[in-house]
Amino acid sequence: MFVITLRYVAGLDQIDDNLQAHTEWVDGQYDDGVFVASGAMTPREGGVILATGMARAELEARLALDPFQQKGLAEYQIVEFTPRRVAAGLERLQG
């Protein structure tokens, strides 16, 4: 499992101009079963994504297709971990 943080390195006007394309890319990751949770940081300085079900190299390849990444609007940090305990209903996330 991975926790991905992305921090905006561009102004919110540029982020907003590219938000629809980013959202469509995020939707595709949910459709593929890769993302299990995502959302904007508070305050709005970037976002957080939980991803599972692939090797790190595949995740990095997918992140490279994010319009925010392709246009240099955000920087990404990936933390990999193995969930040992999860809340009821989230058992599929355990490693």
Side-chain angles (χ1 to χ4, degrees):
M1 173 162 250
F2 302 92
V3 176
I4 303 132
T5 57
L6 55 121
R7 293 234 174 237
Y8 301 145
V9 294
L12 288 179
D13 56 333
Q14 288 181 286
I15 297 300
D16 289 340
D17 288 346
N18 291 278
L19 189 56
Q20 182 174 345
H22 168 75
T23 300
E24 290 171 1
W25 172 80
V26 168
D27 290 346
Q29 306 314 304
Y30 276 102
D31 291 345
D32 289 348
V34 173
F35 288 1
V36 295
S38 62
M41 291 179 176
T42 305
R44 190 174 172 215
E45 298 172 347
V48 178
I49 301 167
L50 298 181
T52 190
M54 77 200 78
R56 185 182 181 111
E58 181 183 347
L59 174 64
E60 290 172 348
R62 285 176 179 265
L63 292 174
L65 299 175
D66 179 359
F68 284 176
Q69 173 89 327
Q70 292 179 331
K71 295 183 179 186
L73 304 177
E75 294 177 342
Y76 297 73
Q77 180 181 17
I78 302 169
V79 176
E80 185 173 1
F81 76 104
T82 303
R84 298 290 180 216
R85 295 179 64 184
V86 297
L90 299 176
E91 291 81 7
R92 81 173 189 100
L93 303 179
Q94 282 185 287

